[in-house]
């Protein structure tokens, strides 16, 4: 899972043109959460994607190439995409920060908040969980409030606009929906605009007067959250919905339900859908669940649903109105029908799904890293997030959804790049970013790579810090073959505690046979090794109990001098910047004039010795008298 504190960037190449620097995405393609997807209602070749960190993407050639167009967006977490069915130049985005509108096909965006609550400093006042456009009058829109992915910020509210998003008004009077209901989908009946259906965390609700009043419409449904709705364009009285089954709970109680009376009553349609239940305490994706659902606009009985769990990942299809389902995106086994791309370390759990209104045999679905397309109604699938250029090498096609921790240029070969990512680990380019290969063989925690260090005297020797992002777990790995394979050298058995190891430094003055390394371990402090990482000792005296280390700097010309940035904890409520002049034997706090308890990083300019700190604004409750501390970029020219 990615959070806002991660540096969300795509790997780019700089090109100098007439004195200016421009940037272009270079790869590796995909790699992050594809949150929303929409096929263009008029062109069979155009498709749109919204992501959790990268913003908005558009392809005009069925996903072969993508372009990021975020001009005007102030929120890059795109929960939903809605395209005007009569004019594809008009596109709406639902984001955690509100509604955005484009009138030029997605090139530029404008925020449309008139009528919504004012933005708040520390919370979302109007996170948009669902958008719907009236098929008969595209000036009429509905927006549902909530954050479905996080299952948070439910307010039981739907807003309506009658002028293309310029003005909004609340159309759910108090008590019409449960006050904590999260709106995850909205659908307007295509032959009767007065009928609006809402899928919520508290069931299905229906309006028969264009949103003026609402009533519960869940007859036949279990008392579970509902996720998505899909109305059959060819027979609007036929509606399908997906229901959430609580992870680890018996009996399994979710799946797909069908209504033949416009959403008034429902019947289960489950034959062929796996119904696995994970053991109590197991992660939620170990229990079968289905979220995204679409209906062929020509045939009310041809339906596709996305399995979102690890154990039942992929797309399922019915051709008889849900009486029988079959798995149609087989990513393993003898009947495999998917081209998978370079991301093979996790399965195709469906996070978003769309069907082309003008070419219904064409569907797309997104996962937490991939995008796939079928042109034959699910018989075969091909990936459209990257491009193969060799047996194990790939290049980007513009769909860059990655969070990068560090980019390291090999001191022996400037075209050799070590790219340290969240979620996807370490990727290496040997041709200046033209192509990439994943390098994780032998790593214990290969999902996240925080940093790579190259031995300046031995090009084949590398060290890397790896670990988990969502929990304080990590280690140090070493490669003796320039990143072909790795072994874990920093672990509890060798003296390094299990914790996030985000910063690793090499003392360039240490002898080749006894390389001295320093590593910052979150919650444990600073550790050093005098044998190239084979064994480790603590060097944290003076940093306090369980220091939350956020940055570590070594002065190359005076390698006994180090600086460390420590964030605030209950034991050390202000944190601080500390300096050691004896290779970490003792530390002293040096920042006297300014405190930044939520420090994020620490750097030193080797040309003039200036120290730089980045910090996030924080209301510090760890103090006896809590108060607000400013964030920002800070510089010191006198050693802190």
């Amino acid at each position: 899972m990615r959070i806002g504190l991660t540096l969300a960037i795509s790997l780019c190449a700089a090109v100098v043109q007439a004195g200016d620097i421009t940037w272009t995405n270079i790869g590796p393609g995909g790699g992050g959460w594809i949150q929303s997807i929409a096929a263009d209602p008029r062109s069979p070749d155009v498709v749109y994607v919204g992501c959790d960190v990268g913003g908005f993407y558009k392809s005009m050639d069925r996903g072969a190439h993508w372009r990021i167009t975020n001009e005007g967006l102030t929120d890059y977490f795109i929960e939903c995409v809605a395209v005007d069915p009569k004019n594809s130049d008009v596109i709406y985005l639902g984001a955690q920060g509100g509604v955005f509108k484009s009138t030029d096909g997605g090139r530029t965006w404008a925020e449309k908040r008139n009528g919504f609550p004012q933005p708040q400093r520390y919370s979302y006042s109007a996170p948009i969980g669902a958008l719907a456009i009236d098929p008969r009058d595209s000036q009429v829109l509905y927006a549902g409030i909530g954050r479905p992915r996080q299952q948070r910020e439910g307010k039981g509210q739907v807003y309506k606009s009658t002028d293309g998003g310029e003005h909004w008004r609340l159309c759910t009077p108090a008590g019409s929906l449960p006050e904590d209901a999260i709106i995850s989908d909205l659908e307007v009946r295509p032959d009767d605009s007065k009928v609006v259906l809402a899928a919520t965390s508290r069931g299905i609700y229906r309006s028969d007067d264009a949103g003026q009043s609402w009533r519960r419409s869940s007859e036949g449904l279990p008392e579970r959250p509902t996720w998505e709705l899909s109305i059959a364009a060819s027979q609007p009285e036929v509606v399908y919905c997906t229901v959430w089954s609580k992870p680890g709970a018996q009996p399994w109680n979710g799946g797909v339900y069908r209504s033949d009376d416009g959403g008034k009553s429902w019947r289960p349609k489950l034959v062929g859908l796996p119904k696995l239940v994970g053991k109590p305490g197991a992660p939620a994706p170990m229990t079968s669940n289905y979220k995204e659902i679409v209906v062929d606009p020509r045939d009310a009985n041809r339906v596709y649903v996305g399995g979102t769990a690890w154990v039942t990942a992929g797309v399922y299809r019915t051709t008889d109105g849900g009486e029988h389902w079959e798995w149609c995106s087989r990513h393993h086994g003898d009947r495999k029908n998917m081209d998978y791309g370079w991301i093979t370390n996790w399965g195709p759990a469906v996070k978003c799904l769309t069907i082309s209104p003008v070419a219904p045999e064409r569907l797309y679905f997104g996962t937490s890293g991939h995008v796939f397309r079928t042109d034959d109604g699910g018989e075969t699938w091909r990936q459209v997030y990257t491009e193969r250029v060799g047996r194990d090498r790939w290049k980007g096609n513009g769909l860059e959804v990655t969070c990068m921790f560090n980019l390291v240029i090999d001191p022996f070969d400037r075209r050799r790049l070590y790219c340290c990512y969240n979620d996807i680990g370490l990727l290496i380019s040997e041709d200046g970013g033209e192509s990439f290969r994943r390098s994780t063989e032998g790593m214990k925690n290969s999902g996240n790579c925080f940093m790579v260090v190259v031995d300046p005297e031995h090009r084949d020797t590398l060290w890397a810090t790896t670990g988990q992002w969502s929990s304080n777990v990590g280690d140090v790995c070493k490669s003796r073959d320039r990143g072909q394979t790795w072994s874990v050298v920093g672990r509890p058995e060798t003296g390094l505690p299990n914790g996030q190891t985000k910063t690793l430094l090499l003392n360039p003055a240490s002898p080749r046979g006894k390389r001295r390394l320093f590593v910052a371990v979150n919650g444990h402090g600073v550790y050093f090794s005098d044998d190239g990482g084979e064994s480790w000792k603590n060097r944290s005296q003076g940093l306090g109990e369980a220091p939350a280390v956020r940055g570590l700097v070594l002065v190359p010309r005076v390698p006994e001098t180090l600086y460390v940035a420590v964030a605030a904890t209950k034991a050390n409520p202000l944190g601080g910047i500390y300096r050691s002049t004896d290779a970490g034997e003792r530390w002293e706090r040096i920042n006297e004039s300014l405190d930044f308890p939520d420090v994020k990083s620490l750097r030193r300019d080797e040309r003039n010795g200036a120290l730089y700190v980045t910090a996030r604004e924080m209301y510090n409750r760890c103090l006896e008298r809590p108060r607000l501390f400013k964030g920002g970029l800070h510089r010191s020219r006198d050693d802190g």
Side-chain angles (χ1 to χ4, degrees):
M1 182 178 74
R2 272 92 73 79
I3 60 176
L5 303 185
T6 305
L7 177 61
I9 64 173
S10 299
L11 188 58
C12 299
V15 181
V16 178
Q17 296 179 342
D20 295 325
I21 295 178
T22 61
W23 294 87
T24 57
N25 293 322
I26 59 176
W33 200 285
I34 313 300
Q35 183 67 26
S36 50
I37 195 164
D40 190 277
R42 301 176 69 85
S43 171
D45 295 330
V46 177
V47 61
Y48 311 93
V49 156
C51 299
D52 66 345
V53 294
F56 178 78
Y57 303 74
K58 180 178 180 179
S59 173
M60 301 183 70
D61 54 9
R62 296 172 295 160
H65 303 89
W66 299 85
R67 186 174 76 252
I68 303 175
T69 54
N70 289 337
E71 184 179 341
L73 289 182
T74 57
D75 186 336
Y76 287 3
F77 189 118
I78 308 303
E79 183 73 51
C80 47
V81 180
V83 187
D84 188 322
K86 298 179 180 179
N87 181 3
S88 298
D89 283 339
V90 178
I91 307 170
Y92 298 89
L93 302 180
Q96 293 184 130
V99 176
F100 294 85
K101 180 180 181 180
S102 173
T103 57
D104 54 13
R107 287 191 294 272
T108 60
W109 299 92
E111 191 176 52
K112 301 296 179 182
R113 287 193 63 99
N114 194 337
F116 288 109
Q118 289 298 309
Q120 303 298 307
R121 189 169 190 173
Y122 296 117
S123 64
Y124 294 107
S125 62
I128 306 301
L131 283 173
I133 301 174
D134 186 332
R136 306 182 76 179
D137 182 358
S138 56
Q139 289 295 298
V140 176
L141 295 93
Y142 297 87
I145 302 299
R147 299 169 68 192
R149 177 172 158 187
Q150 292 85 0
Q151 282 293 284
R152 296 173 59 186
E153 272 79 47
K155 299 180 181 179
Q157 294 178 344
V158 177
Y159 284 77
K160 182 178 180 179
S161 172
T162 57
D163 56 5
E166 295 302 320
H167 302 86
W168 297 86
R169 63 174 178 82
L170 184 64
C171 66
T172 43
S176 56
L177 269 67
E179 62 180 14
D180 61 348
I182 300 163
I183 315 300
S184 53
D185 196 14
L186 291 164
E187 297 288 338
V188 182
R189 183 159 166 155
D191 63 335
D192 184 356
S193 297
K194 291 183 178 181
V195 178
V196 186
L197 296 174
T200 83
S201 57
R202 301 288 294 275
I204 303 290
Y205 284 79
R206 173 189 173 102
S207 173
D208 289 314
D209 51 14
Q212 294 184 59
S213 62
W214 299 78
R215 68 178 185 277
R216 187 171 172 83
S217 189
S218 296
E219 181 185 338
L221 293 176
E223 293 293 323
R224 306 293 314 146
T226 50
W227 280 108
E228 297 286 332
L229 291 156
S230 190
I231 299 175
S234 60
Q235 294 178 243
E237 69 277 8
V238 176
V239 188
Y240 297 86
C241 76
T242 52
V243 177
W244 187 250
S245 184
K246 185 177 180 180
Q250 294 281 7
W252 188 85
N253 200 15
V256 177
Y257 283 70
R258 172 173 167 150
S259 172
D260 289 292
D261 55 10
K264 295 177 182 178
S265 61
W266 303 85
R267 292 176 291 115
K269 297 293 180 180
L270 308 176
V271 175
L273 291 178
K275 308 172 186 66
L276 302 177
V277 175
K279 295 180 179 179
M286 297 304 290
T287 294
S288 299
N289 263 304
Y290 306 89
K291 178 178 179 285
E292 300 291 326
I293 189 164
V294 295
V295 183
D296 188 316
R298 305 164 303 183
D299 184 353
N301 291 317
R302 190 176 183 90
V303 189
Y304 303 84
V305 70
T308 190
W310 299 335
V311 290
T312 47
V315 176
Y316 295 78
R317 177 182 60 197
T318 180
T319 58
D320 56 12
E323 296 300 323
H324 304 88
W325 294 88
E326 61 173 334
W327 184 34
C328 68
S329 63
R330 301 178 296 276
H331 60 280
H332 60 76
D334 296 338
R335 299 177 61 209
K336 178 180 176 181
N337 67 345
M338 300 187 72
D339 161 30
Y340 216 66
W342 66 267
I343 303 175
T344 58
N345 51 310
W346 67 77
V350 179
K351 308 303 179 185
C352 54
L353 174 67
T354 188
I355 187 169
S356 171
V358 290
E361 296 297 312
R362 180 166 299 149
L363 294 92
Y364 301 83
F365 77 90
T367 77
S368 54
H370 323 79
V371 175
F372 296 99
R373 187 190 83 220
T374 180
D375 296 314
D376 52 20
E379 293 299 315
T380 58
W381 298 83
R382 61 174 298 173
Q383 61 82 15
V384 290
Y385 67 92
T386 188
E387 179 183 343
R388 183 189 289 273
V389 294
R391 183 178 63 86
D392 62 348
R393 293 185 298 114
W394 307 84
K395 64 180 295 185
N397 64 357
L399 187 67
E400 301 301 325
V401 195
T402 51
C403 291
M404 177 178 281
F405 291 114
N406 278 293
L407 172 64
V408 177
I409 301 174
D410 193 308
F412 297 97
D413 180 0
R414 62 185 297 178
R415 289 178 58 78
R416 187 178 181 87
L417 311 176
Y418 300 97
C419 308
C420 307
Y421 286 104
N422 189 15
D423 294 337
I424 57 178
L426 175 63
L427 279 84
I428 299 176
S429 175
E430 297 166 343
D431 50 17
E434 293 296 322
S435 64
F436 300 83
R437 65 175 177 85
R438 198 160 183 260
S439 172
T440 58
E441 184 178 342
M443 290 181 174
K444 178 183 177 182
N445 292 289
S446 60
N448 298 284
C449 181
F450 301 115
M451 178 172 280
V452 166
V453 171
V454 182
D455 191 318
E457 297 181 5
H458 194 274
R459 64 190 299 160
D460 289 338
T461 302
L462 315 173
W463 293 270
T465 59
T466 63
Q468 297 183 17
W469 177 249
S470 57
S471 60
N472 193 22
V473 172
D475 44 45
V476 174
C477 298
K478 185 175 183 178
S479 175
R480 296 173 176 82
D481 54 12
R482 217 178 183 194
Q484 294 295 324
T485 60
W486 298 85
S487 60
V488 180
V489 293
R491 57 189 189 277
E493 294 83 354
T494 62
L496 192 72
N498 189 10
Q500 290 173 342
T501 52
K502 292 185 180 177
T503 307
L504 178 69
L505 304 175
L506 169 66
N507 183 342
S510 57
R512 179 172 170 180
K514 299 188 67 176
R515 283 303 198 197
R516 172 171 285 191
L517 298 168
F518 293 91
V519 64
V521 185
N522 189 28
H524 299 277
V526 177
Y527 285 73
F528 90 105
S529 172
D530 265 341
D531 53 13
E534 300 299 323
S535 62
W536 298 84
K537 296 180 180 178
N538 185 278
R539 284 284 175 91
S540 302
Q541 183 177 341
L543 295 181
E545 180 183 350
V549 180
R550 299 284 177 81
L552 181 63
V553 166
L554 181 145
V555 182
R557 296 180 182 178
V558 191
E560 300 297 304
T561 298
L562 297 100
Y563 297 87
V564 68
V566 176
T569 62
K570 289 184 179 180
N572 184 0
L574 285 175
I577 308 302
Y578 293 78
R579 178 177 59 205
S580 173
T581 57
D582 53 11
E585 289 283 358
R586 293 175 301 276
W587 296 88
E588 62 172 342
R589 191 175 187 272
I590 58 174
N591 57 304
E592 298 179 357
S593 62
L594 191 64
D595 294 309
F596 7 77
D598 198 4
V599 61
K600 293 300 175 188
S601 62
L602 173 67
R603 294 291 187 268
R604 183 177 185 273
D605 188 337
E606 297 304 327
R607 298 169 300 177
N608 56 28
L611 290 172
Y612 292 86
V613 163
T614 60
R616 190 182 190 187
E617 181 178 276
M618 178 184 185
Y619 186 76
N620 193 347
R621 293 181 172 84
C622 297
L623 301 174
E624 183 177 341
R625 293 184 177 180
R627 62 188 179 94
L628 179 69
F629 290 83
K630 292 183 178 180
L633 172 65
H634 308 269
R635 178 176 63 190
S636 172
R637 291 174 171 171
D638 59 0
D639 287 330

